[in-house]
Amino acid sequence: MSISRPVPEEFPPYYGTYIKQVAGEDALPVLISQRESTRSFLAGIPESRASFRYAPDKWSLREIIGHLSDSERVFAYRMLRFARADQAPLAGFDENAYVPAGEFERRSLADVAAEFTAVRDASLAMIRSFDEAALARRGSANGKEISVRALAWVLPGHEAHHLKVIRERYL
């Protein structure tokens, strides 16, 4: 199975920011390799850095990882609904409301990171079940049409974006 790069007509322009961060022409190997590389990267960050914020109004490093789990779950739910030919429009989500409600600061960085690995495992299991017809299906989320294939590319691009921010501003 492979997940070919989506064409621009498959996603709103905003998501192009994430999709273009993914190298190659198949998202599946990237999703698989990120699972281990991100797990290893996060395991190397000391707990003492987990609450660091580079500015008072920014999320902590731990909150960014929690946000990655929340976002991946939302994107995976959209993929499931659209892959199953559910045409009901889906609402957007406000990540700036989710993060404080997630109370990630109560947990260790190792625990938040382990959750993200588990979320990725669940995403991979679902994605591997899709055939070409499922990947091509589209639905509406937050008033914008997007394909299952494009969402499969958004996952690694969104993760790459946030890991770049962590490397540049948190470590």
Side-chain angles (χ1 to χ4, degrees):
M1 162 191 210
S2 68
I3 306 169
S4 60
R5 186 173 290 276
V7 296
E9 295 76 30
E10 289 184 65
F11 55 88
Y14 170 79
Y15 288 112
T17 303
Y18 297 132
I19 293 169
K20 72 180 173 187
Q21 291 196 43
V22 182
E25 294 303 318
D26 184 354
L28 187 57
V30 177
L31 287 160
I32 293 166
S33 69
Q34 272 186 336
R35 181 202 179 279
E36 183 55 31
S37 63
T38 298
R39 190 203 60 72
S40 294
F41 172 67
L42 295 176
I45 299 173
E47 185 66 36
S48 61
R49 293 299 290 169
S51 293
F52 176 75
R53 299 167 193 273
Y54 70 89
D57 60 338
K58 297 299 181 182
W59 295 337
S60 72
L61 193 149
R62 187 184 292 113
E63 287 171 330
I64 291 174
I65 305 310
H67 163 71
L68 286 173
S69 292
D70 284 351
S71 298
E72 183 141 340
R73 282 185 172 114
V74 170
F75 294 140
Y77 177 69
R78 291 173 180 177
M79 292 169 60
L80 174 66
R81 295 274 304 263
F82 303 159
R84 301 295 193 255
D86 187 337
Q87 291 299 301
L90 301 178
F93 76 106
D94 181 357
E95 66 274 5
N96 290 311
Y98 273 46
V99 168
E103 298 182 7
F104 301 111
E105 288 301 307
R106 291 185 304 109
R107 298 165 54 196
S108 70
L109 178 61
D111 186 50
V112 175
E115 179 183 358
F116 181 62
T117 300
V119 170
R120 176 56 57 91
D121 285 343
S123 297
L124 282 166
M126 179 182 65
I127 290 166
R128 287 180 173 128
S129 76
F130 296 154
D131 61 14
E132 280 302 315
L135 289 168
R137 289 189 187 108
R138 300 176 189 209
S140 175
N142 202 27
K144 307 286 185 195
E145 186 177 271
I146 191 165
S147 72
V148 174
R149 175 185 346 278
L151 285 163
W153 281 75
V154 167
L155 294 180
H158 181 253
E159 179 178 340
H161 164 76
H162 282 291
L163 291 181
K164 182 178 180 204
V165 169
I166 289 171
R167 285 183 177 99
E168 292 175 355
R169 298 188 179 183
Y170 288 80
L171 300 178

